[in-house]
Amino acid sequence: MLQSLIKLLRPHQYIKNGFVFLGVVFAHEWGEADTVLAASLTFLAFSAMASAVYVLNDIVDVEADRRHPTKCRRPIASGAIAVPTAWVIFAVAVVLALALAALVSTWVIALITIYLVLNVAYSWSLKHIVILDVFSIAAGFMLRILAGTLGLGIEPSQWLLLCGLMLTLFLGFAKRRAELADVRIERGETGEGARRVLDDYSVSLLDQFIAISAACTVLAYGLYTVSAETIALHGTDGLIYTLPFVIYGIFRYLFLLHARGGGNDTSRDLVTDPHLLATVAVWLGVTIAVLA
């Protein structure tokens, strides 16, 4: 039961909630204990809410998952956790998330509530609408960034939001590309149990979306590092030296997507690929060293 519960809550996905710490890093607040504590509580609140969302998705998709060649092994689809029990787990996770958010600020409560509403809409409708499905995923990451800035009393940077948007669109379209490839390999061109929205995508279309969003991510981050506003804010022009790590990370992810069957699970790709893990660690270390 414990193993099934852990599998249902997907704790390895919590790494995505690290977006709430971006405001702390780029606002030079990593030395402020109160701010770091508030950001950590926000991280935990989004982790609990993310688990609630995963449970909700599995409840809504239970019949489709049972027909899927791999998703049929998920706890609810396999019968390891009953649907009524899953609803209780969902409710507990939501209450825990809101309680943690209340320890931080009303902004975090509002943003995490919007995150829940967005994901309910995604589970029931938005995930079936081509392109808007990926924008909905990206919106969830934008809410994390806002919670890590507005929620902590830090003014959000327009550059930070732009870079975050383009990066999450890139990852979202890459995920759809990986899902489409899996469907074509396992089931033919479409197939029972696959996401209905995949019928509206094609490999060539997704490759264009991925190329555009990847290029915009690199361009937006590059322009951010050399903008006069950024240099004046941080008192240094050294952020440009972090750009190669961003470019390498994008290229490495594309390599994993096309050559290693990656892209389906961003969090798992990050923690299992030593190149990506080292790139993120070095980027963060160099960024802090430049801003310090």
Side-chain angles (χ1 to χ4, degrees), residues 142 158-168 217 220-222 224:
M142 294 300 98
Q158 293 179 342
W159 283 110
L160 181 63
L161 294 173
L162 177 60
C163 293
L165 173 63
M166 299 316 304
L167 176 61
T168 52
T217 300
Y221 186 79
Y224 162 71

Side-chain angles (χ1 to χ4, degrees), residues 10 12-13 15-16 54 174-175 178-179 253 261-272:
R10 298 175 176 72
H12 73 281
Q13 298 285 359
I15 193 170
K16 297 176 181 178
Y54 288 127
K175 179 176 176 60
E179 290 171 343
Y253 199 80
N264 232 321
D265 190 331
T266 304
S267 299
R268 197 175 300 280
D269 290 338
L270 177 60
V271 299
T272 58

Side-chain angles (χ1 to χ4, degrees), residues 95-113:
V95 171
L96 177 59
L98 292 173
L100 289 167
L103 296 175
V104 184
S105 69
T106 53
W107 265 114
V108 177
I109 296 174
L111 291 166
I112 206 167
T113 301

Side-chain angles (χ1 to χ4, degrees), residues 217-219 221-222 225 239-248 283:
T217 300
V218 172
L219 181 60
Y221 186 79
T225 63
L239 275 177
I240 186 64
Y241 300 116
T242 65
L243 180 59
F245 302 110
V246 173
I247 297 173
Y248 178 81
W283 170 83

Side-chain angles (χ1 to χ4, degrees), residues 197-219:
V197 75
L198 293 179
D199 292 341
D200 295 317
Y201 284 116
S202 66
V203 170
S204 60
L205 178 64
L206 285 168
D207 282 342
Q208 290 183 62
F209 289 162
I210 291 169
I212 292 170
S213 53
C216 287
T217 300
V218 172
L219 181 60

Side-chain angles (χ1 to χ4, degrees), residues 5 12 64 71 117 137 144 164 177-178 181 189 210 223 244:
L5 179 62
H12 73 281
K71 293 180 181 179
V117 172
I137 296 173
R144 290 175 171 93
R177 174 67 163 77
E189 288 300 311
I210 291 169
L223 290 174

